[in-house]
Amino acid sequence: MSAWMSCSSSSLGLSVYVLAATLVAQLVLGVVLARKRFPGHGLLDSLVSLPLVFPPIVIGYLLLLALGRQGWLASATGWSPNIVFQPAALLIAAFIAGLPLMVKPVQNSMNSLSPRLREAAATLGHGTWSYFFRVELPLLRPALATGLILSGGRALGEVGISLMLGGNIAGRTETLSLSIYNAVLDGDTDCANALSWMLGLTALACFWALRRYGNQK
């Protein structure tokens, strides 16, 4: 217990903050991308899926080139977002890493819904928002649960993008996963073991929740 407390004092709070913020953002954007079709939707959908197959460290490097103080965005617009090596960089890293795992289950579930549902709802006087909240949302609940659990687990374990974009600064941009990485480099096996057990048990809880809630009809 003492090893766990000494290792996780700052990284735990930061990890919880990053996880909560990214899950909200992923839920909103995931539903929008799954439901709406607009110009450039295919390209955006491909970019969202990229973290599934692209090395995280390379994605982090590209984001560093784009968002750094002398990066592509600053060169093109003259404005630097000042997020590199800041906690905001961890939000971006976790959001990008987990987003496809949120979007794809919702997208697949949305595509399986019969178009006749919307027609039947319209004949009963349901508008767009009423149809979404009273018809679509209950049917999408298992997919939403699956997406949130998978994206949350991925965001909590994110290392590659966070390491490159956040800088892994102790007490500032060090999440639980990065704390394990740092403990191993420092030879602190007690800390690495304690935090690994913590994340491992969290992963098992996510797996149980996925089996329990992700398969409900």
Side-chain angles (χ1 to χ4, degrees), residues 83-166:
I83 61 173
V84 174
F85 305 146
Q86 303 291 334
L90 301 178
L91 294 175
I92 293 176
F95 176 77
I96 290 175
L99 185 59
L101 297 175
M102 178 71 225
V103 172
K104 294 309 174 183
V106 178
Q107 210 169 48
N108 292 335
S109 183
M110 187 78 67
N111 291 336
S112 69
L113 298 181
S114 173
R116 294 183 178 179
L117 286 174
R118 185 181 295 273
E119 298 171 3
T123 62
L124 295 174
H126 292 286
T128 301
W129 289 108
S130 177
Y131 170 74
F132 172 68
F133 283 107
R134 302 186 67 176
V135 180
E136 264 188 344
L137 196 57
L139 293 174
L140 293 176
R141 194 171 297 153
L144 290 172
T146 298
L148 285 174
I149 294 169
L150 291 176
S151 62
R154 178 67 183 85
L156 191 61
E158 161 56 30
V159 172
I161 304 175
S162 300
L163 186 63
M164 185 63 70
L165 195 62

Side-chain angles (χ1 to χ4, degrees), residues 24-49:
V24 172
Q26 287 167 351
L27 177 61
V28 173
L29 187 57
V31 172
V32 170
L33 289 176
R35 293 187 78 245
K36 300 294 184 181
R37 293 294 183 270
F38 45 82
H41 182 275
L43 176 61
L44 183 58
D45 186 64
S46 298
L47 291 176
V48 166
S49 304

Side-chain angles (χ1 to χ4, degrees), residues 170-185:
R172 185 175 177 184
T173 60
E174 184 185 41
T175 61
L176 285 173
S177 296
L178 291 175
S179 292
I180 296 175
Y181 173 80
N182 291 332
V184 172
L185 290 182

